[in-house]
Amino acid sequence: MADRETRQTTVWSRPARGARGPAPERSRAEITTAALALADGEGLAAVSMRALAQRLGTGPASLYRYVGSRDELLDLMADAVAAELDLSADPSGDWLDDLVGLARQSKAAHVRHPWLADLNDRRGEVLGPHAIDYLDHALRILVPAPGTPGQKLEAIGLLGGLATLFARREALAVDTETPPARATHLAAVAAEGRHPHLLAALTAAGAPPTAGPDDRDALFVRLLRRVLPAMLTG
């Protein structure tokens, strides 16, 4: 994929449609919505200009009047997901509560769109208008919080990373009624006696809890409440 971080322009810095050609039949919003549906149904690899054109009942060349490349289409898709987050509420004054709420929204968006994590891994640092709104909203929440501007930006980055991680774990969860296989394996290895520190930790922790959606969400919130204040006061 091209070096996206060195691009001098983005899809949002150009008109929504090329000046040449017949009267517009599509819009970027319509094209993006179709691309989101394609990715949700078949995965990110299925999203191509040709497949999208087939879905819309048109030719690939017509789409290039609105979107210059697949990379630009991916940018539009990522920003469309950012638009799903509700940023309308004013900060309550409890920055940690508000930031945790924002993180839970972000995780839910990743769960709805499992391909988003792979997209974010590949697309570099291109931020669309809704993603910038999200960043500014998070910084507004953090106005009363301790820490430097740099620490606050790092905390927001960590928030996004944890949201992605937990969404991936939720997507991979298969049986929530039995202990995870990894925990069972660790317990068996520790019982052999060659890893005394691991055995002591597992013994003190007790039996692993179930890992249903509510349990995973509670763990997500606990980690945020522990880690975010430490980042901003360290």
Side-chain angles (χ1 to χ4, degrees):
M1 183 171 288
D3 184 359
R4 307 170 66 80
E5 296 187 14
T6 62
R7 286 191 316 194
Q8 299 301 309
T9 62
T10 71
V11 64
W12 297 281
S13 64
R14 300 194 315 278
R17 178 187 174 276
R20 298 182 178 180
E25 299 176 354
R26 310 286 177 187
S27 68
R28 279 182 181 167
E30 180 185 3
I31 292 168
T32 303
T33 297
L36 290 175
L38 185 59
D40 287 344
E42 302 181 35
L44 188 62
V47 178
S48 68
M49 300 299 276
R50 181 175 298 278
L52 185 57
Q54 290 177 346
R55 190 179 190 92
L56 290 168
T58 188
S62 68
L63 299 184
Y64 286 101
R65 300 175 190 154
Y66 308 89
V67 182
S69 66
R70 183 176 185 268
D71 280 350
E72 289 190 350
L73 177 63
L74 298 181
D75 291 341
L76 289 169
M77 292 168 62
D79 201 59
V81 175
E84 296 177 6
L85 276 61
D86 183 3
L87 309 180
S88 62
D90 290 330
S92 68
D94 186 329
W95 66 266
L96 186 54
D97 268 356
D98 291 346
L99 206 60
V100 167
L102 192 61
R104 294 179 75 183
Q105 282 200 68
S106 179
K107 180 168 75 72
H110 279 79
V111 171
R112 289 193 300 272
H113 307 289
W115 49 266
L116 184 60
D118 292 335
L119 175 56
N120 288 339
D121 286 345
R122 298 171 56 188
R123 66 188 292 272
E125 298 298 326
V126 178
L127 294 181
H130 292 105
I132 293 172
D133 288 345
Y134 163 85
L135 179 58
D136 188 74
H137 183 75
L139 288 169
R140 182 186 178 196
I141 286 173
L142 286 171
V143 166
T148 66
Q151 287 174 317
K152 292 178 180 181
L153 289 170
E154 289 173 353
I156 294 168
L158 177 68
L159 180 154
L162 286 175
T164 301
L165 173 64
F166 272 76
R168 276 176 163 160
R169 291 181 62 184
E170 191 159 330
L172 292 173
V174 290
D175 186 352
T176 62
E177 300 300 324
T178 58
R182 183 172 65 176
T184 302
H185 173 67
L186 281 177
V189 170
E192 295 173 358
R194 294 184 293 108
H195 304 88
H197 301 291
L198 176 61
L199 177 61
L202 292 176
T203 301
T210 58
D214 291 343
D215 301 293
R216 289 190 293 272
D217 189 61
L219 176 59
F220 178 62
V221 170
R222 286 201 306 273
L223 284 177
L224 288 172
R225 288 188 171 278
R226 290 174 185 171
V227 172
L228 291 173
M231 288 190 69
L232 296 171
T233 58

